[in-house]
Amino acid sequence: MENYKLASVKPSVAEFKVGVDNVIFSVDTQHNRLLILLVKRYKEPYANYFSLPGTLVRVGESLEAAADRTLSEKIEVENLYLEQLYTFGEPGRDPRDQKNNQDQRYLSVSYFALVRYEDTNLITTGNRKAVWHLLKETPQLAFDHNRILDYGYQRLRNKLEYSPIAFKVLPEAFTLNDLYQFYTTVLGEHFSDYSNFRARLLKLGFLTDTGLKVSRGAGRPATLYRFDEDAFALLKDKPLVFI
Amino acid sequence: MENYKLASVKPSVAEFKVGVDNVIFSVDTQHNRLLILLVKRYKEPYANYFSLPGTLVRVGESLEAAADRTLSEKIEVENLYLEQLYTFGEPGRDPRDQKNNQDQRYLSVSYFALVRYEDTNLITTGNRKAVWHLLKETPQLAFDHNRILDYGYQRLRNKLEYSPIAFKVLPEAFTLNDLYQFYTTVLGEHFSDYSNFRARLLKLGFLTDTGLKVSRGAGRPATLYRFDEDAFALLKDKPLVFI
DNA sequence: CCAAAAGTGTTACAAGTACACCCATGT
DNA sequence: ACATGGGTGTACTTGTAACACTTTTGG
């Protein structure tokens, strides 16, 4: 209302560039390590800091396409899960906001991704090569990326408990122990008793026995299971907790 | 990589205006009606269509501040819950994307709000006055706002099941029936047996008896309860389902 | 034969579901 | 007194948590 009294004080609309920043997780099941993809910045601001892989959205490009592009520029991966995370946009979150142009703002739409570690191929050419980092040893990141990462990690844990994203990222055939290790590395050692985890998962009925067995050194060979999309679809309405 | 071969084909970064669109819900407990706040557009594009209340983010303004501003321009409300919903930004989602300027994009960061119906005061001056609509009878909205609304409604239902937002929006003192009605109008008639709902809520221990009773016509007077923040804080880690 | 890994079973308890029933008030 | 809305109790089923146990392999 009061904005229209004087044309000269009518507040002006901000101009934005929109960045997409990706929180890309991967689980190295062999070594029980939860990994996060980071890139080292080579120019200001925050030169020599690590940051989340990101890019500015281009003309004619959708947000998700920008997220996908970042992924494919850094790693070659076939199997992944991708979803939007959160949008950060306070004035001043990017130092470039202040610099030359008072009206130029930078907004970050963050995306969350979980990729299959085994068939991930890091692209090491170019001057912004990406590397896997242990999540536990994440350094101080550029911009507000530590905050974005925290948010992404929270989402990862929630998603794992309430939806079947693990199966997008495990091998086609996997043992129940593989699955358990996967959950353990993300959610921590004591998220559930193995025996109860087994029982719950098998009772749900969307894991089908492939008939194949795999032997890992000594001990009884493990049954290989496969995720059955169709069987899962039948229960998609009900809670489904893996705790 | 290939972007650097020819400077002339280097893809260019898009310029954005950022809009904030609000999905504002309110529950009229007296009449068991779930309401959504809409405004009628008076100019192109989509003149005379209803749309979600929104605004463009101004210089120096945060996203959440813009959401708050929209709320306070349309309604006067003291008690509310507000959180970010999702960001929509495909090229072409706003007809203005194409129009004059090929590079100008419009991005929408949507916010979800739940406000207390009783102390809400619609501002009816100005040419974009807001009105409550029955959610069930939502008309076709401008832009992609029906999609945003659907997304917001989903979030409302989830939030109600897993977090105590209802108490931000109910009167200070309320009966268990008020609470039950609230849940019923949002989640549908058969979301839970009243007796079991009562038992579950009371067992959780964050509803404290005010000692006051209220009589609604015939029948036994109902106990007024109050939400105890501190008692609730103690259980904030564990699931908490109101189903 | 024994250690290691996989897989099964048991038991005690907590929570969820569907009811039937009792209580306090206005007319 | 009885209809009306508020509130309690119970019996049954299901889920959870902790743990002991059996099976099948390699060395």
Side-chain angles (χ1 to χ4, degrees):
Chain A
M1 315 293 135
E2 58 281 11
N3 306 334
Y4 299 103
K5 285 179 186 164
L6 285 166
S8 59
V9 293
K10 182 175 175 181
S12 52
V13 168
E15 292 288 341
F16 287 86
K17 299 245 197 288
V18 175
V20 166
D21 293 310
N22 301 282
V23 184
I24 304 166
F25 290 104
S26 149
V27 178
D28 174 1
T29 325
Q30 307 302 304
H31 307 90
N32 277 33
R33 302 187 305 168
L34 177 53
L35 304 168
I36 174 79
L37 196 70
L38 297 178
V39 297
K40 192 150 203 168
R41 290 182 61 80
Y42 67 103
K43 63 177 179 184
E44 294 294 342
Y46 291 101
N48 297 321
Y49 277 75
F50 279 102
S51 76
L52 299 175
T55 188
L56 291 173
V57 177
R58 294 177 181 168
V59 172
E61 186 178 49
S62 76
L63 300 174
E64 188 159 331
D68 262 329
R69 179 163 55 81
T70 313
L71 266 155
S72 59
E73 278 176 9
K74 303 299 178 198
I75 55 180
E76 284 165 5
V77 67
E78 304 239 320
N79 294 280
L80 65 90
Y81 175 83
L82 180 71
E83 75 169 27
Q84 192 183 299
L85 196 55
Y86 200 81
T87 298
F88 298 90
E90 316 85 71
R93 62 165 291 280
D94 189 312
R96 289 169 291 187
D97 280 6
Q98 265 80 5
K99 250 185 172 174
N100 311 316
N101 195 333
Q102 195 64 290
D103 294 4
Q104 181 64 68
R105 293 263 294 274
Y106 283 82
L107 184 133
S108 162
V109 180
S110 55
Y111 274 78
F112 160 81
L114 183 62
V115 307
R116 184 182 293 181
Y117 181 70
E118 287 74 21
D119 62 23
T120 270
N121 197 0
L122 289 186
I123 293 167
T124 47
T125 58
N127 41 15
R128 290 196 229 185
K129 47 181 176 252
V131 288
W132 288 119
H133 256 251
L134 280 178
L135 181 70
K136 286 177 194 165
E137 299 170 8
T138 306
Q140 208 210 314
L141 303 178
F143 307 105
D144 52 357
H145 286 190
N146 285 96
R147 178 168 53 134
I148 300 179
L149 176 52
D150 288 349
Y151 200 87
Y153 182 39
Q154 221 181 289
R155 183 78 131 254
L156 173 62
R157 281 176 282 142
N158 286 334
K159 277 281 154 185
L160 217 56
E161 290 187 28
Y162 301 118
S163 65
I165 57 170
F167 306 107
K168 295 241 174 209
V169 135
L170 281 169
E172 278 307 305
F174 51 87
T175 70
L176 283 172
N177 232 302
D178 290 339
L179 186 59
Y180 184 68
Q181 291 311 324
F182 190 100
Y183 271 80
T184 299
T185 45
V186 177
L187 301 176
E189 279 303 325
H190 307 297
F191 85 96
S192 171
D193 181 275
Y194 174 60
S195 148
N196 296 328
F197 179 79
R198 269 185 74 83
R200 203 171 16 244
L201 267 287
L202 289 176
K203 187 159 38 171
L204 289 170
F206 54 72
L207 296 182
T208 50
D209 191 331
T210 59
L212 301 169
K213 305 260 178 194
V214 64
S215 213
R216 254 97 105 147
R220 181 172 174 174
T223 306
L224 286 167
Y225 290 88
R226 162 175 78 63
F227 179 68
D228 182 344
E229 298 270 10
D230 299 339
F232 179 76
L234 300 174
L235 356 145
K236 74 166 186 303
D237 46 335
K238 281 301 129 200
L240 173 63
V241 178
F242 301 89
I243 304 181
Chain B
M1 315 293 134
E2 57 282 10
N3 307 333
Y4 299 102
K5 286 178 184 164
L6 285 166
S8 58
V9 292
K10 182 175 177 179
S12 52
V13 168
E15 292 287 342
F16 286 86
K17 300 247 197 288
V18 175
V20 165
D21 293 309
N22 301 283
V23 184
I24 305 166
F25 290 105
S26 150
V27 178
D28 175 2
T29 325
Q30 307 301 304
H31 306 91
N32 277 36
R33 301 187 306 168
L34 177 54
L35 303 168
I36 175 80
L37 196 70
L38 298 178
V39 296
K40 193 150 201 167
R41 291 182 59 82
Y42 67 102
K43 63 177 179 183
E44 295 294 340
Y46 290 102
N48 297 320
Y49 277 75
F50 278 101
S51 76
L52 298 175
T55 189
L56 290 173
V57 177
R58 294 177 182 168
V59 171
E61 187 178 49
S62 76
L63 300 174
E64 188 160 329
D68 263 328
R69 178 163 57 80
T70 314
L71 267 155
S72 58
E73 278 175 8
K74 303 299 179 199
I75 55 180
E76 286 165 5
V77 67
E78 305 239 321
N79 295 281
L80 65 89
Y81 175 82
L82 180 71
E83 74 169 29
Q84 192 183 298
L85 195 55
Y86 199 82
T87 298
F88 298 89
E90 315 86 70
R93 62 164 291 280
D94 189 312
R96 290 170 290 186
D97 279 8
Q98 266 80 8
K99 249 186 171 173
N100 311 316
N101 195 332
Q102 194 65 288
D103 293 5
Q104 181 64 67
R105 292 262 294 272
Y106 283 83
L107 184 133
S108 163
V109 180
S110 55
Y111 274 79
F112 161 81
L114 183 61
V115 307
R116 185 181 291 181
Y117 181 69
E118 288 74 20
D119 63 21
T120 270
N121 197 1
L122 289 185
I123 292 167
T124 48
T125 59
N127 42 16
R128 289 195 229 185
K129 47 180 178 257
V131 288
W132 289 119
H133 257 252
L134 280 179
L135 181 71
K136 287 177 195 165
E137 298 170 9
T138 306
Q140 209 210 315
L141 303 178
F143 308 105
D144 53 356
H145 286 189
N146 286 96
R147 178 169 54 135
I148 300 179
L149 176 52
D150 287 348
Y151 200 86
Y153 182 40
Q154 222 180 288
R155 183 79 130 250
L156 172 62
R157 280 175 284 142
N158 286 334
K159 277 282 155 184
L160 216 56
E161 290 186 29
Y162 302 117
S163 65
I165 57 170
F167 306 107
K168 297 241 174 207
V169 134
L170 281 169
E172 278 307 305
F174 51 86
T175 70
L176 283 171
N177 232 303
D178 290 340
L179 185 59
Y180 185 68
Q181 291 312 324
F182 190 100
Y183 271 79
T184 300
T185 47
V186 176
L187 301 176
E189 279 303 324
H190 308 295
F191 83 98
S192 170
D193 180 275
Y194 173 61
S195 149
N196 296 329
F197 178 79
R198 270 185 73 83
R200 203 169 20 242
L201 268 286
L202 289 176
K203 188 161 37 174
L204 289 170
F206 53 72
L207 296 183
T208 50
D209 191 330
T210 60
L212 301 170
K213 304 260 175 194
V214 63
S215 214
R216 251 97 105 148
R220 181 174 175 173
T223 305
L224 286 167
Y225 290 88
R226 164 175 76 63
F227 178 68
D228 182 344
E229 298 270 11
D230 300 339
F232 179 77
L234 301 173
L235 355 146
K236 73 166 187 303
D237 46 333
K238 281 301 130 200
L240 174 64
V241 179
F242 301 90
I243 307 180

